[in-house]
Amino acid sequence: MSLFLSSVSVEQPVSAVYAFLADMNNQGQLMPDNIINWSSTADEASFEIQNITSLSLRIEERVTNTSVRILPSQQPPFEMELFWSLIGNGSSTAVTFTINAQLNMMMKMLASAPLQKLADEETRRLSAILAAK
């Protein structure tokens, strides 16, 4: 299993950060520019990674003000899990986004940099979006 982590501190209470992340409709705002054809409900989303593949994701587990676990709802190119972990500290929240991916050696060489970039981009955008609220 390959892990790709990105952490950020958000100047919002944990309840506000959790409410944003627990709704898949908001997750589309965190995606990089190469994500197209985003379609979502509160629990599921489908989209295309431009010129690569299509994915469907669903929220598998929500733990109020603590975490959001997201899994593929259809067979992905490789097994993966997306996990948001939250730790509240008064008016701010420490957020860690983890991508767990089952990658063979060839896929690891090809996908490691884009997956780390995705993790970093999502936390950067989360911080920017919630800072504006």
Side-chain angles (χ1 to χ4, degrees), residues 53-79:
T53 191
S54 296
L55 287 176
S56 294
L57 303 173
R58 74 180 185 298
I59 294 180
E60 179 70 17
E61 178 182 42
R62 293 176 178 95
V63 179
T64 304
N65 296 339
T66 303
S67 64
V68 176
R69 182 172 171 240
I70 302 169
L71 296 175
S73 56
Q74 295 178 349
Q75 187 62 35
F78 49 84
E79 293 299 316

PDB file of all heavy atoms in Angstrom, residues 53-79:
ATOM      1  N   THR A  53      -8.874   8.537 -17.077  1.00  0.00           N
ATOM      2  CA  THR A  53      -9.887   7.556 -16.702  1.00  0.00           C
ATOM      3  C   THR A  53     -11.094   8.241 -16.087  1.00  0.00           C
ATOM      4  O   THR A  53     -11.056   9.428 -15.778  1.00  0.00           O
ATOM      5  CB  THR A  53      -9.302   6.526 -15.697  1.00  0.00           C
ATOM      6  OG1 THR A  53     -10.218   5.451 -15.538  1.00  0.00           O
ATOM      7  CG2 THR A  53      -9.006   7.149 -14.349  1.00  0.00           C
ATOM      8  N   SER A  54     -12.153   7.478 -15.885  1.00  0.00           N
ATOM      9  CA  SER A  54     -13.345   7.928 -15.166  1.00  0.00           C
ATOM     10  C   SER A  54     -13.362   7.253 -13.804  1.00  0.00           C
ATOM     11  O   SER A  54     -12.946   6.097 -13.687  1.00  0.00           O
ATOM     12  CB  SER A  54     -14.615   7.544 -15.928  1.00  0.00           C
ATOM     13  OG  SER A  54     -14.662   8.193 -17.164  1.00  0.00           O
ATOM     14  N   LEU A  55     -13.856   7.965 -12.804  1.00  0.00           N
ATOM     15  CA  LEU A  55     -13.948   7.415 -11.452  1.00  0.00           C
ATOM     16  C   LEU A  55     -15.304   7.741 -10.848  1.00  0.00           C
ATOM     17  O   LEU A  55     -15.889   8.778 -11.150  1.00  0.00           O
ATOM     18  CB  LEU A  55     -12.866   7.996 -10.538  1.00  0.00           C
ATOM     19  CG  LEU A  55     -11.444   7.532 -10.729  1.00  0.00           C
ATOM     20  CD1 LEU A  55     -10.523   8.302  -9.791  1.00  0.00           C
ATOM     21  CD2 LEU A  55     -11.310   6.048 -10.478  1.00  0.00           C
ATOM     22  N   SER A  56     -15.755   6.856  -9.964  1.00  0.00           N
ATOM     23  CA  SER A  56     -16.929   7.096  -9.135  1.00  0.00           C
ATOM     24  C   SER A  56     -16.526   6.827  -7.696  1.00  0.00           C
ATOM     25  O   SER A  56     -15.921   5.797  -7.405  1.00  0.00           O
ATOM     26  CB  SER A  56     -18.076   6.168  -9.533  1.00  0.00           C
ATOM     27  OG  SER A  56     -18.527   6.468 -10.825  1.00  0.00           O
ATOM     28  N   LEU A  57     -16.846   7.765  -6.819  1.00  0.00           N
ATOM     29  CA  LEU A  57     -16.484   7.654  -5.408  1.00  0.00           C
ATOM     30  C   LEU A  57     -17.718   7.820  -4.545  1.00  0.00           C
ATOM     31  O   LEU A  57     -18.666   8.495  -4.933  1.00  0.00           O
ATOM     32  CB  LEU A  57     -15.468   8.742  -5.026  1.00  0.00           C
ATOM     33  CG  LEU A  57     -14.165   8.791  -5.804  1.00  0.00           C
ATOM     34  CD1 LEU A  57     -13.370  10.036  -5.416  1.00  0.00           C
ATOM     35  CD2 LEU A  57     -13.351   7.532  -5.551  1.00  0.00           C
ATOM     36  N   ARG A  58     -17.697   7.217  -3.355  1.00  0.00           N
ATOM     37  CA  ARG A  58     -18.785   7.383  -2.410  1.00  0.00           C
ATOM     38  C   ARG A  58     -18.213   7.535  -1.000  1.00  0.00           C
ATOM     39  O   ARG A  58     -17.152   6.984  -0.697  1.00  0.00           O
ATOM     40  CB  ARG A  58     -19.749   6.212  -2.446  1.00  0.00           C
ATOM     41  CG  ARG A  58     -19.231   4.952  -1.799  1.00  0.00           C
ATOM     42  CD  ARG A  58     -20.226   3.792  -1.862  1.00  0.00           C
ATOM     43  NE  ARG A  58     -19.778   2.632  -1.159  1.00  0.00           N
ATOM     44  CZ  ARG A  58     -18.704   1.899  -1.409  1.00  0.00           C
ATOM     45  NH1 ARG A  58     -17.912   2.218  -2.408  1.00  0.00           N
ATOM     46  NH2 ARG A  58     -18.394   0.846  -0.698  1.00  0.00           N
ATOM     47  N   ILE A  59     -18.914   8.280  -0.186  1.00  0.00           N
ATOM     48  CA  ILE A  59     -18.510   8.380   1.212  1.00  0.00           C
ATOM     49  C   ILE A  59     -18.927   7.091   1.894  1.00  0.00           C
ATOM     50  O   ILE A  59     -20.114   6.746   1.933  1.00  0.00           O
ATOM     51  CB  ILE A  59     -19.113   9.620   1.896  1.00  0.00           C
ATOM     52  CG1 ILE A  59     -18.529  10.892   1.254  1.00  0.00           C
ATOM     53  CG2 ILE A  59     -18.845   9.584   3.401  1.00  0.00           C
ATOM     54  CD1 ILE A  59     -19.048  12.190   1.839  1.00  0.00           C
ATOM     55  N   GLU A  60     -17.962   6.371   2.393  1.00  0.00           N
ATOM     56  CA  GLU A  60     -18.178   5.086   3.050  1.00  0.00           C
ATOM     57  C   GLU A  60     -18.467   5.265   4.534  1.00  0.00           C
ATOM     58  O   GLU A  60     -19.246   4.524   5.118  1.00  0.00           O
ATOM     59  CB  GLU A  60     -16.936   4.211   2.865  1.00  0.00           C
ATOM     60  CG  GLU A  60     -17.014   2.851   3.514  1.00  0.00           C
ATOM     61  CD  GLU A  60     -18.005   1.914   2.838  1.00  0.00           C
ATOM     62  OE1 GLU A  60     -18.415   2.163   1.684  1.00  0.00           O
ATOM     63  OE2 GLU A  60     -18.380   0.915   3.474  1.00  0.00           O
ATOM     64  N   GLU A  61     -17.811   6.263   5.139  1.00  0.00           N
ATOM     65  CA  GLU A  61     -17.967   6.441   6.586  1.00  0.00           C
ATOM     66  C   GLU A  61     -17.761   7.903   6.955  1.00  0.00           C
ATOM     67  O   GLU A  61     -16.849   8.560   6.456  1.00  0.00           O
ATOM     68  CB  GLU A  61     -16.927   5.579   7.304  1.00  0.00           C
ATOM     69  CG  GLU A  61     -16.939   5.697   8.806  1.00  0.00           C
ATOM     70  CD  GLU A  61     -15.865   4.859   9.459  1.00  0.00           C
ATOM     71  OE1 GLU A  61     -14.726   4.834   8.951  1.00  0.00           O
ATOM     72  OE2 GLU A  61     -16.171   4.237  10.482  1.00  0.00           O
ATOM     73  N   ARG A  62     -18.630   8.385   7.833  1.00  0.00           N
ATOM     74  CA  ARG A  62     -18.497   9.721   8.405  1.00  0.00           C
ATOM     75  C   ARG A  62     -18.456   9.568   9.921  1.00  0.00           C
ATOM     76  O   ARG A  62     -19.326   8.922  10.491  1.00  0.00           O
ATOM     77  CB  ARG A  62     -19.700  10.596   8.045  1.00  0.00           C
ATOM     78  CG  ARG A  62     -19.825  10.953   6.589  1.00  0.00           C
ATOM     79  CD  ARG A  62     -21.133  11.744   6.393  1.00  0.00           C
ATOM     80  NE  ARG A  62     -21.321  12.183   5.038  1.00  0.00           N
ATOM     81  CZ  ARG A  62     -22.029  11.521   4.117  1.00  0.00           C
ATOM     82  NH1 ARG A  62     -22.600  10.367   4.407  1.00  0.00           N
ATOM     83  NH2 ARG A  62     -22.157  12.010   2.904  1.00  0.00           N
ATOM     84  N   VAL A  63     -17.458  10.150  10.553  1.00  0.00           N
ATOM     85  CA  VAL A  63     -17.388  10.217  12.006  1.00  0.00           C
ATOM     86  C   VAL A  63     -17.417  11.703  12.339  1.00  0.00           C
ATOM     87  O   VAL A  63     -16.458  12.425  12.048  1.00  0.00           O
ATOM     88  CB  VAL A  63     -16.124   9.522  12.567  1.00  0.00           C
ATOM     89  CG1 VAL A  63     -16.087   9.654  14.089  1.00  0.00           C
ATOM     90  CG2 VAL A  63     -16.067   8.061  12.133  1.00  0.00           C
ATOM     91  N   THR A  64     -18.516  12.153  12.907  1.00  0.00           N
ATOM     92  CA  THR A  64     -18.765  13.571  13.121  1.00  0.00           C
ATOM     93  C   THR A  64     -17.571  14.287  13.739  1.00  0.00           C
ATOM     94  O   THR A  64     -17.046  13.862  14.767  1.00  0.00           O
ATOM     95  CB  THR A  64     -20.018  13.758  14.002  1.00  0.00           C
ATOM     96  OG1 THR A  64     -21.118  13.085  13.380  1.00  0.00           O
ATOM     97  CG2 THR A  64     -20.358  15.233  14.164  1.00  0.00           C
ATOM     98  N   ASN A  65     -17.158  15.340  13.053  1.00  0.00           N
ATOM     99  CA  ASN A  65     -16.073  16.222  13.479  1.00  0.00           C
ATOM    100  C   ASN A  65     -14.719  15.517  13.648  1.00  0.00           C
ATOM    101  O   ASN A  65     -13.809  16.068  14.263  1.00  0.00           O
ATOM    102  CB  ASN A  65     -16.430  16.967  14.767  1.00  0.00           C
ATOM    103  CG  ASN A  65     -17.604  17.897  14.577  1.00  0.00           C
ATOM    104  OD1 ASN A  65     -17.925  18.297  13.461  1.00  0.00           O
ATOM    105  ND2 ASN A  65     -18.262  18.236  15.658  1.00  0.00           N
ATOM    106  N   THR A  66     -14.582  14.317  13.051  1.00  0.00           N
ATOM    107  CA  THR A  66     -13.344  13.553  13.194  1.00  0.00           C
ATOM    108  C   THR A  66     -12.776  13.088  11.861  1.00  0.00           C
ATOM    109  O   THR A  66     -11.588  13.264  11.601  1.00  0.00           O
ATOM    110  CB  THR A  66     -13.574  12.325  14.102  1.00  0.00           C
ATOM    111  OG1 THR A  66     -14.067  12.779  15.364  1.00  0.00           O
ATOM    112  CG2 THR A  66     -12.305  11.538  14.307  1.00  0.00           C
ATOM    113  N   SER A  67     -13.626  12.478  11.005  1.00  0.00           N
ATOM    114  CA  SER A  67     -13.092  11.920   9.758  1.00  0.00           C
ATOM    115  C   SER A  67     -14.172  11.684   8.718  1.00  0.00           C
ATOM    116  O   SER A  67     -15.358  11.576   9.039  1.00  0.00           O
ATOM    117  CB  SER A  67     -12.346  10.606  10.019  1.00  0.00           C
ATOM    118  OG  SER A  67     -13.241   9.630  10.505  1.00  0.00           O
ATOM    119  N   VAL A  68     -13.704  11.572   7.466  1.00  0.00           N
ATOM    120  CA  VAL A  68     -14.551  11.207   6.325  1.00  0.00           C
ATOM    121  C   VAL A  68     -13.737  10.214   5.499  1.00  0.00           C
ATOM    122  O   VAL A  68     -12.610  10.511   5.101  1.00  0.00           O
ATOM    123  CB  VAL A  68     -14.929  12.432   5.464  1.00  0.00           C
ATOM    124  CG1 VAL A  68     -15.734  12.005   4.242  1.00  0.00           C
ATOM    125  CG2 VAL A  68     -15.689  13.463   6.293  1.00  0.00           C
ATOM    126  N   ARG A  69     -14.304   9.046   5.262  1.00  0.00           N
ATOM    127  CA  ARG A  69     -13.636   7.980   4.491  1.00  0.00           C
ATOM    128  C   ARG A  69     -14.369   7.801   3.168  1.00  0.00           C
ATOM    129  O   ARG A  69     -15.585   7.600   3.151  1.00  0.00           O
ATOM    130  CB  ARG A  69     -13.649   6.681   5.286  1.00  0.00           C
ATOM    131  CG  ARG A  69     -12.947   5.548   4.623  1.00  0.00           C
ATOM    132  CD  ARG A  69     -12.868   4.372   5.606  1.00  0.00           C
ATOM    133  NE  ARG A  69     -12.390   3.206   4.932  1.00  0.00           N
ATOM    134  CZ  ARG A  69     -13.055   2.076   4.833  1.00  0.00           C
ATOM    135  NH1 ARG A  69     -14.249   1.936   5.395  1.00  0.00           N
ATOM    136  NH2 ARG A  69     -12.538   1.057   4.189  1.00  0.00           N
ATOM    137  N   ILE A  70     -13.621   7.867   2.056  1.00  0.00           N
ATOM    138  CA  ILE A  70     -14.195   7.808   0.713  1.00  0.00           C
ATOM    139  C   ILE A  70     -13.577   6.633  -0.033  1.00  0.00           C
ATOM    140  O   ILE A  70     -12.358   6.461  -0.045  1.00  0.00           O
ATOM    141  CB  ILE A  70     -13.922   9.126  -0.041  1.00  0.00           C
ATOM    142  CG1 ILE A  70     -14.498  10.314   0.736  1.00  0.00           C
ATOM    143  CG2 ILE A  70     -14.475   9.057  -1.465  1.00  0.00           C
ATOM    144  CD1 ILE A  70     -14.055  11.671   0.226  1.00  0.00           C
ATOM    145  N   LEU A  71     -14.447   5.827  -0.661  1.00  0.00           N
ATOM    146  CA  LEU A  71     -14.008   4.657  -1.431  1.00  0.00           C
ATOM    147  C   LEU A  71     -14.583   4.711  -2.842  1.00  0.00           C
ATOM    148  O   LEU A  71     -15.606   5.361  -3.073  1.00  0.00           O
ATOM    149  CB  LEU A  71     -14.488   3.367  -0.757  1.00  0.00           C
ATOM    150  CG  LEU A  71     -13.947   3.053   0.621  1.00  0.00           C
ATOM    151  CD1 LEU A  71     -14.626   1.804   1.180  1.00  0.00           C
ATOM    152  CD2 LEU A  71     -12.446   2.862   0.579  1.00  0.00           C
ATOM    153  N   PRO A  72     -13.966   4.002  -3.778  1.00  0.00           N
ATOM    154  CA  PRO A  72     -14.539   3.901  -5.122  1.00  0.00           C
ATOM    155  C   PRO A  72     -15.884   3.173  -5.057  1.00  0.00           C
ATOM    156  O   PRO A  72     -16.039   2.217  -4.291  1.00  0.00           O
ATOM    157  CB  PRO A  72     -13.513   3.075  -5.901  1.00  0.00           C
ATOM    158  CG  PRO A  72     -12.254   3.170  -5.107  1.00  0.00           C
ATOM    159  CD  PRO A  72     -12.668   3.334  -3.683  1.00  0.00           C
ATOM    160  N   SER A  73     -16.843   3.610  -5.847  1.00  0.00           N
ATOM    161  CA  SER A  73     -18.128   2.909  -5.913  1.00  0.00           C
ATOM    162  C   SER A  73     -18.195   2.006  -7.135  1.00  0.00           C
ATOM    163  O   SER A  73     -19.112   1.210  -7.258  1.00  0.00           O
ATOM    164  CB  SER A  73     -19.292   3.899  -5.892  1.00  0.00           C
ATOM    165  OG  SER A  73     -19.181   4.834  -6.927  1.00  0.00           O
ATOM    166  N   GLN A  74     -17.230   2.130  -8.027  1.00  0.00           N
ATOM    167  CA  GLN A  74     -17.076   1.224  -9.166  1.00  0.00           C
ATOM    168  C   GLN A  74     -15.610   0.815  -9.208  1.00  0.00           C
ATOM    169  O   GLN A  74     -14.767   1.431  -8.566  1.00  0.00           O
ATOM    170  CB  GLN A  74     -17.465   1.908 -10.471  1.00  0.00           C
ATOM    171  CG  GLN A  74     -18.924   2.284 -10.530  1.00  0.00           C
ATOM    172  CD  GLN A  74     -19.263   3.007 -11.828  1.00  0.00           C
ATOM    173  OE1 GLN A  74     -18.392   3.397 -12.586  1.00  0.00           O
ATOM    174  NE2 GLN A  74     -20.542   3.184 -12.070  1.00  0.00           N
ATOM    175  N   GLN A  75     -15.310  -0.209  -9.971  1.00  0.00           N
ATOM    176  CA  GLN A  75     -13.939  -0.721 -10.030  1.00  0.00           C
ATOM    177  C   GLN A  75     -12.972   0.336 -10.563  1.00  0.00           C
ATOM    178  O   GLN A  75     -13.073   0.748 -11.707  1.00  0.00           O
ATOM    179  CB  GLN A  75     -13.885  -1.969 -10.926  1.00  0.00           C
ATOM    180  CG  GLN A  75     -12.549  -2.674 -10.912  1.00  0.00           C
ATOM    181  CD  GLN A  75     -12.166  -3.210  -9.545  1.00  0.00           C
ATOM    182  OE1 GLN A  75     -12.994  -3.640  -8.786  1.00  0.00           O
ATOM    183  NE2 GLN A  75     -10.889  -3.153  -9.225  1.00  0.00           N
ATOM    184  N   PRO A  76     -12.030   0.794  -9.728  1.00  0.00           N
ATOM    185  CA  PRO A  76     -11.043   1.782 -10.170  1.00  0.00           C
ATOM    186  C   PRO A  76      -9.872   1.089 -10.870  1.00  0.00           C
ATOM    187  O   PRO A  76      -9.753  -0.137 -10.829  1.00  0.00           O
ATOM    188  CB  PRO A  76     -10.581   2.408  -8.854  1.00  0.00           C
ATOM    189  CG  PRO A  76     -10.696   1.279  -7.877  1.00  0.00           C
ATOM    190  CD  PRO A  76     -11.897   0.477  -8.318  1.00  0.00           C
ATOM    191  N   PRO A  77      -8.967   1.862 -11.467  1.00  0.00           N
ATOM    192  CA  PRO A  77      -7.779   1.272 -12.093  1.00  0.00           C
ATOM    193  C   PRO A  77      -6.888   0.561 -11.072  1.00  0.00           C
ATOM    194  O   PRO A  77      -6.133  -0.320 -11.409  1.00  0.00           O
ATOM    195  CB  PRO A  77      -7.050   2.459 -12.711  1.00  0.00           C
ATOM    196  CG  PRO A  77      -8.006   3.596 -12.676  1.00  0.00           C
ATOM    197  CD  PRO A  77      -9.056   3.288 -11.675  1.00  0.00           C
ATOM    198  N   PHE A  78      -6.975   0.969  -9.802  1.00  0.00           N
ATOM    199  CA  PHE A  78      -6.257   0.327  -8.705  1.00  0.00           C
ATOM    200  C   PHE A  78      -7.055   0.578  -7.425  1.00  0.00           C
ATOM    201  O   PHE A  78      -7.835   1.527  -7.345  1.00  0.00           O
ATOM    202  CB  PHE A  78      -4.819   0.853  -8.576  1.00  0.00           C
ATOM    203  CG  PHE A  78      -4.704   2.343  -8.583  1.00  0.00           C
ATOM    204  CD1 PHE A  78      -4.891   3.092  -7.426  1.00  0.00           C
ATOM    205  CD2 PHE A  78      -4.411   3.015  -9.763  1.00  0.00           C
ATOM    206  CE1 PHE A  78      -4.797   4.467  -7.442  1.00  0.00           C
ATOM    207  CE2 PHE A  78      -4.320   4.406  -9.782  1.00  0.00           C
ATOM    208  CZ  PHE A  78      -4.515   5.126  -8.617  1.00  0.00           C
ATOM    209  N   GLU A  79      -6.890  -0.308  -6.447  1.00  0.00           N
ATOM    210  CA  GLU A  79      -7.592  -0.158  -5.174  1.00  0.00           C
ATOM    211  C   GLU A  79      -7.093   1.096  -4.470  1.00  0.00           C
ATOM    212  O   GLU A  79      -5.893   1.368  -4.443  1.00  0.00           O
ATOM    213  CB  GLU A  79      -7.368  -1.376  -4.285  1.00  0.00           C
ATOM    214  CG  GLU A  79      -7.997  -2.643  -4.814  1.00  0.00           C
ATOM    215  CD  GLU A  79      -9.508  -2.540  -4.956  1.00  0.00           C
ATOM    216  OE1 GLU A  79     -10.179  -2.024  -4.040  1.00  0.00           O
ATOM    217  OE2 GLU A  79     -10.018  -2.969  -6.013  1.00  0.00           O
TER     218      GLU A  79
END
